[in-house]
Amino acid sequence: ASSDYPLRDVYKRQAGASLLEHVNKCIEAIHSPFAALVAKQKLAQCLRSAFGSSVLLIDIDNTCSRSMWLIEEDKAPLIAIITLPEQFPGATPIVGLQSAQYHKNGHPLQLAYTVEVPFSPRWSLDELAKRLVTFIMEKAPLFNVSCSSMSP
């Protein structure tokens, strides 16, 4: 089935299409996913520069689609989770904040995700990283206040 190999249909030359058109489609089909992976890797490097040494985890599945950062905010640590969708850099990252405190049942006190983050596909990856860090640092105090009201 074509779901086993998503590029299979791209490699079939359409009747009446020139060889050059066919080759260009094949190159784009190979280049697009590679360019997205390179953009994700570069953003992870920019985030590391912006966050400093607080990285907990980058690259859960070898695609640089998810990273976790430890944020020390007013002596109440929290974890920022940045998830990059498959369509990145054309799609908005998803930012999650998770309490570093846990209930006795092993669940975090609070976990919140949002896609309403500052984002423009025209920004450089360095600019995006800086804006994501600023966004997270602005949300951290409010998140910690809501977590402290839920303390076990």
Side-chain angles (χ1 to χ4, degrees):
S2 63
S3 64
D4 297 342
Y5 188 62
L7 298 178
R8 180 177 297 161
D9 294 335
V10 173
Y11 293 119
K12 291 181 183 174
R13 188 168 160 202
Q14 300 295 322
S18 73
L19 183 58
L20 182 59
E21 289 173 1
H22 177 69
V23 169
N24 283 335
K25 282 184 181 180
C26 291
I27 289 171
E28 180 60 28
I30 293 167
H31 182 264
S32 259
F34 180 73
L37 178 61
V38 169
K40 289 176 182 182
Q41 289 172 337
K42 286 182 181 178
L43 181 63
Q45 291 170 350
C46 293
L47 285 168
R48 185 167 185 145
S49 295
F51 274 121
S53 62
S54 67
V55 63
L56 292 176
L57 179 67
I58 296 179
D59 196 16
I60 290 175
D61 58 0
N62 293 330
T63 62
C64 292
S65 294
R66 194 166 192 194
S67 59
M68 299 175 133
W69 308 88
L70 180 64
I71 309 296
E72 295 276 342
E73 204 295 309
D74 196 29
K75 299 188 182 188
L78 61 97
I79 299 167
I81 304 160
I82 300 173
T83 305
L84 303 176
E86 195 172 302
Q87 299 82 12
F88 184 84
T92 306
I94 300 166
V95 173
L97 296 177
Q98 177 180 319
S99 170
Q101 301 173 3
Y102 282 76
H103 290 288
K104 290 180 183 176
N105 66 6
H107 291 51
L109 284 180
Q110 190 166 0
L111 177 63
Y113 283 96
T114 184
V115 292
E116 296 181 17
V117 298
F119 174 74
S120 171
R122 294 182 301 264
W123 292 340
S124 70
L125 296 174
D126 192 46
E127 176 72 17
L128 177 59
K130 288 176 185 174
R131 289 185 185 230
L132 284 173
V133 170
T134 300
F135 173 81
I136 290 167
M137 296 312 285
E138 287 173 355
K139 297 293 182 190
L142 296 171
F143 183 79
N144 275 336
V145 166
S146 68
C147 286
S148 64
S149 67
M150 300 176 72
S151 290

